[in-house]
Amino acid sequence: MAKITKQDGVLTVPDMVTIPYIEGDGVGAEITPVMRRVIDQAVARAYQGTRHIEWLEVLAGGKAHDQTGEWLPKTTLDAFNTYLVGIKGPLMTPVGGGMRSLNVVLRQQLDLYVCQRPVRWFRGVDSPVKHPEKVDMCVFRENTEDIYAGIEWEAGTAGARRVYRFLHDEMGVDRVRFPETSAFGIKPVSREGSERLIRSAIDYALAHGLKHVTLVHKGNIMKFTEGGFRKWGYELAQREYADALANGSLVIDDCICDAFLQNALLKPQNYSVIATMNLNGDYISDMLAAQVGGIGISPGANINYQTGHAIFEATHGIAPDIAGTNVVNPCSIILSAVMMLDYMGWSEAGSLVTQAMETLFGRGEATADLARFMAQGQALGTVEFGQHLMDEIGN
């Protein structure tokens, strides 16, 4: 099994490479096999047999629990750590209690500090906005701090009471209106965490000829956390990218997050690369996805640009209500796999997939969630859409 390595800042990808994958819960069992077949077809077509992916299944979520009694076996973390780059389907996460989000655990354990979400419109896809073609952004969302640190105490517990006593008695905080029924959470935002996220966004922008990077924050209210993110971003740009700023190849600005959500609807063409913290990025990436057709065609990646570790993933949930019915849209995980190919330097194969997908959408061929809004839309099942995509790649 040949693995990807990174030395001296350079990713080395063997022609015959092993990629670990998690099938996922719910609809993951349907979309992940389709993704693998589509990507195999694109790689075979692009490189005429000189390159190949050996898929290595690793377990997480319900399938892991059924087979091993664990939600996230150590062998799975070891595989992603060893092979550097992998992909996953959606994993179940209960709301309000139970196990911690496996997605968060994977990101924290592997220090995947960038959640990267490119958003673009595909010709033929219906949109609720007049000009979805103006939306073309890449969101860099900080993935390890802010609310994803997971530091909180439930209302009414001994922990919550201790936190309040500390805040009130030691720190002089007198603005908790209902202390007896308040839950508490802590939002860590560090200079180091902010800088490495913003640096990744700037490097991406420069590498892709996208000179405009916007820092999105709520620093007018949270002056030392979100305000710190903004301040450290500007300082980083001045310190490390002074020449690019001076020659105009890089422009750094910032926007308060609520204003950005409005601006992204009214003038999306004014934005290109977005760097933001965790919670803001969650809202922003899904709002932008809605403008171009929905989360079903929204890809995503979790990346550590320093070590090279990366997990690409479907950005939607497990959709248990439609699982097993052959109607789910597999495009999110397929496009995430395209991101993976680009990250590996196999962009020729990735381009074949996106070109084929846009051709199908232009003909009105899509799964039901998209086809029902298309002129002359033809609803295809999950498997059938994957086969049409493979046929188009092979043409």
Side-chain angles (χ1 to χ4, degrees):
M1 292 184 176
K3 62 182 181 180
I4 297 170
T5 59
K6 187 169 188 177
Q7 292 183 333
D8 300 324
V10 177
L11 209 65
T12 300
V13 182
D15 287 339
M16 306 297 174
V17 64
T18 299
I19 300 293
Y21 73 94
I22 296 170
E23 181 180 77
D25 296 315
V27 295
E30 297 169 83
I31 62 172
T32 303
V34 169
M35 175 275 295
R36 289 174 53 199
R37 290 195 293 271
V38 168
I39 297 304
D40 284 344
Q41 171 79 342
V43 169
R45 177 65 189 274
Y47 307 115
Q48 300 297 308
T50 61
R51 288 179 173 175
H52 176 74
I53 293 175
E54 179 184 42
W55 300 97
L56 173 66
E57 184 175 11
V58 294
L59 300 177
K63 191 172 183 179
H65 193 262
D66 290 344
Q67 294 187 23
T68 71
E70 299 179 88
W71 293 102
L72 183 60
K74 182 177 180 298
T75 52
T76 296
L77 283 170
D78 289 345
F80 284 123
N81 204 27
T82 297
Y83 292 102
L84 236 61
V85 174
I87 192 165
K88 58 175 283 295
L91 294 172
M92 63 174 68
T93 300
V95 175
M99 65 181 181
R100 190 178 177 199
S101 166
L102 298 176
N103 296 317
V104 174
V105 173
L106 284 166
R107 295 164 190 169
Q108 294 278 354
Q109 288 292 317
L110 296 169
D111 197 23
L112 305 175
Y113 59 87
V114 170
C115 178
Q116 186 177 327
R117 295 278 297 272
V119 186
R120 56 152 290 192
W121 180 68
F122 283 87
R123 180 176 52 85
V125 175
D126 189 59
S127 165
V129 299
K130 289 182 178 179
H131 294 289
E133 73 280 0
K134 294 181 179 181
V135 179
D136 190 359
M137 303 182 210
C138 191
V139 178
F140 280 70
R141 169 192 177 198
E142 207 290 321
N143 224 3
T144 61
E145 299 189 319
D146 195 5
I147 64 166
Y148 262 30
I151 306 171
E152 59 177 354
W153 294 268
E154 186 178 1
T157 63
R161 288 190 290 270
R162 288 180 63 189
V163 170
Y164 174 70
R165 285 197 300 270
F166 172 75
L167 292 173
H168 185 270
D169 299 345
E170 301 293 327
M171 303 299 292
V173 174
D174 60 2
R175 296 189 299 275
V176 181
R177 190 174 298 274
F178 303 108
E180 294 303 316
T181 58
S182 291
F184 293 91
I186 291 180
K187 172 193 179 84
V189 178
S190 70
R191 176 189 289 272
E192 292 88 346
S194 299
E195 285 187 349
R196 66 180 185 173
L197 182 281
I198 295 165
R199 185 181 294 111
S200 297
I202 294 174
D203 287 345
Y204 176 92
L206 293 174
H208 291 80
L210 306 169
K211 69 177 183 179
H212 189 190
V213 177
T214 303
L215 310 175
V216 179
H217 60 91
K218 190 64 175 174
N220 57 328
I221 302 299
M222 290 171 277
K223 298 182 184 298
F224 305 121
T225 51
E226 307 228 355
F229 178 89
R230 173 188 178 275
K231 173 177 177 286
W232 297 324
Y234 278 119
E235 290 175 351
L236 171 75
Q238 290 290 343
R239 185 174 70 247
E240 298 185 11
Y241 301 92
D243 289 346
L245 290 170
N247 65 31
S249 60
L250 175 65
V251 174
I252 300 285
D253 63 8
D254 72 278
C255 189
I256 293 172
C257 58
D258 46 322
F260 176 82
L261 292 173
Q262 174 181 245
N263 293 344
L265 280 168
L266 297 176
K267 47 185 179 181
Q269 68 276 12
N270 287 5
Y271 299 101
S272 181
V273 177
I274 310 302
T276 189
M277 283 159 294
N278 187 270
L279 186 58
N280 297 334
D282 205 4
Y283 300 149
I284 288 167
S285 53
D286 279 19
M287 182 275 291
L288 292 175
Q291 293 188 56
V292 298
I295 202 167
I297 54 171
S298 175
N302 304 285
I303 303 172
N304 183 320
Y305 279 100
Q306 296 169 345
T307 66
H309 288 93
I311 298 179
F312 299 81
E313 64 179 354
T315 58
H316 53 74
I318 66 173
D321 55 323
I322 59 171
T325 60
N326 193 41
V327 299
V328 63
N329 185 347
C331 289
S332 176
I333 195 169
I334 292 171
L335 290 171
S336 296
V338 169
M339 290 181 68
M340 182 181 74
L341 293 173
D342 289 343
Y343 183 73
M344 292 162 51
W346 293 14
S347 57
E348 298 88 354
S351 294
L352 289 176
V353 177
T354 53
Q355 291 165 12
M357 191 175 290
E358 193 148 32
T359 296
L360 293 190
F361 291 158
R363 295 201 300 248
E365 298 177 18
T367 47
D369 59 317
L370 299 179
R372 58 184 171 164
F373 299 116
M374 293 174 170
Q376 310 296 318
Q378 177 188 351
L380 300 173
T382 308
V383 173
E384 289 74 22
F385 177 80
Q387 187 59 55
H388 280 225
L389 199 53
M390 291 171 62
D391 293 343
E392 187 62 35
I393 291 168
N395 286 340

